Amino acid sequence: MYSYGYGGETSLSPWTAAPARVDYYFRSGKDVYERDIDLGQQIRKQFPTVSKATHLRDIFTERAARYLAHQAGIKHFLLLGAGFDPPLYEHYEALGSPRIVYVTDDVVVRTHGDARWSEHAQWVMGGLACPAEVLANDTVRLGLDLDRPIAVMLTSTLEYMVNDGDASESVRALVDALAPGSYVVACHVTKDFAEDAMECVERTYRGGGIGYRMRSRSEFEALLDGLELLEPGIVPPHEWWPDGPDGPRAEEVNMWAAVARKA
């Protein structure tokens, strides 16, 4: 079973769905295989607004990054679980021309990243399951100043950490290595708003060979234990300081989001 952080060999096979490609399918991406489309279509039948939810997740990621860049003076961003057409890249200048490092364990994403999204960012192989290796990577250490506050973006990777203990330990190890004043931006799919439908989605991912674990609000909050939550706290992603009209109902999005600070 494929999980982010445990190697990207599966992403090379057109016969097995890969997390990054399925996610890209939801965002109308073209670099996907038939198996990814089949799995994505099954999920869409169970979660008809999945593309809208994925879009709102990416908008939240970019809105949180803008907030941190302009209100907290953050200039360095580390995004784990990066996929195709990653957030932040198109908003490089609006973010004040920061340093960005994308981390992926999918070799196809890495190849595309180097070819298409590397003018304003750097790419490395790795995953949340191995935080020490990520932080020790020469590209990360040279690209980001880890002695000063940075922002770590975990908006599309936590679901693929199936074991709760592994997820908590990985996030804690990552946070412990950050300078005080650093931030974690996180988003997580949940069953809290539509339990039956999202239970089916979780089973479909797993049946498609992708390790997947949704978490409740309290379980998501536990992953951020020891960090100071910024207002408005843990909310659906489109409700985190929205800058537009009222968004959809929570059961159309089925995600929790938060921005938290290391004291």
Side-chain angles (χ1 to χ4, degrees):
M1 182 172 288
Y2 188 100
S3 294
Y4 269 140
Y6 294 95
E9 292 83 357
T10 307
S11 68
L12 294 173
S13 171
W15 311 114
T16 306
R21 293 198 306 262
V22 175
D23 189 82
Y24 199 36
Y25 168 74
F26 295 143
R27 294 184 287 133
S28 302
K30 306 302 181 184
D31 298 308
V32 297
Y33 294 129
E34 184 175 348
R35 187 66 189 93
D36 307 304
I37 295 172
D38 289 345
L39 185 60
Q41 288 176 340
Q42 292 179 57
I43 293 169
R44 181 167 277 139
K45 289 178 182 179
Q46 300 158 345
F47 184 8
T49 54
V50 62
S51 289
K52 178 191 293 185
T54 304
H55 178 62
L56 290 171
R57 176 202 69 196
D58 291 346
I59 290 177
F60 159 73
T61 304
E62 293 159 357
R63 187 165 65 248
R66 289 200 310 270
Y67 175 91
L68 295 179
H70 298 300
Q71 301 299 322
I74 297 297
K75 301 299 182 184
H76 295 189
F77 293 85
L78 178 66
L79 193 148
L80 284 85
F84 296 98
D85 195 13
L88 310 188
Y89 191 80
E90 292 185 2
H91 302 272
Y92 176 76
E93 293 184 1
L95 292 172
S97 303
R99 296 185 185 181
I100 302 173
V101 175
Y102 293 116
V103 181
T104 180
D105 72 347
D106 188 310
V107 293
V108 178
V109 171
R110 167 66 189 273
T111 300
H112 280 254
D114 284 339
R116 299 168 60 183
W117 304 297
S118 60
E119 182 180 358
H120 303 306
Q122 295 173 293
W123 288 79
V124 301
M125 291 296 295
L128 180 58
C130 305
E133 293 180 13
V134 170
L135 295 172
N137 184 283
D138 288 342
T139 298
V140 173
R141 301 197 68 82
L142 292 173
L144 305 176
D145 184 353
L146 299 180
D147 292 326
R148 61 186 291 183
I150 71 168
V152 174
M153 321 299 279
L154 302 176
T155 54
S156 58
T157 189
L158 291 167
E159 296 86 358
Y160 303 102
M161 295 287 291
V162 177
N163 182 280
D164 287 340
D166 290 344
S168 294
E169 289 178 11
S170 292
V171 173
R172 173 50 51 198
L174 187 64
V175 169
D176 285 348
L178 301 178
S182 293
Y183 292 84
V184 174
V185 178
C187 195
H188 208 302
V189 180
T190 185
K191 302 176 192 175
D192 286 354
F193 305 109
E195 183 174 0
D196 291 344
M198 298 308 287
E199 181 71 36
C200 290
V201 169
E202 189 174 67
R203 287 199 300 267
T204 298
Y205 268 109
R206 294 179 177 181
I210 296 175
Y212 201 78
R213 165 82 161 91
M214 298 183 192
R215 291 181 172 88
S216 66
R217 186 188 188 283
S218 61
E219 290 170 328
F220 175 53
E221 185 173 15
L223 295 178
L224 304 175
D225 184 53
L227 298 173
E228 299 175 354
L229 288 171
L230 272 62
E231 293 292 340
I234 297 174
V235 295
H238 58 289
E239 295 181 11
W240 196 89
W241 295 117
D243 50 10
D246 292 342
R249 301 188 307 275
E251 59 267 31
E252 295 181 83
V253 182
N254 295 301
M255 293 182 186
W256 291 114
V259 178
R261 180 179 182 275
K262 178 180 180 179

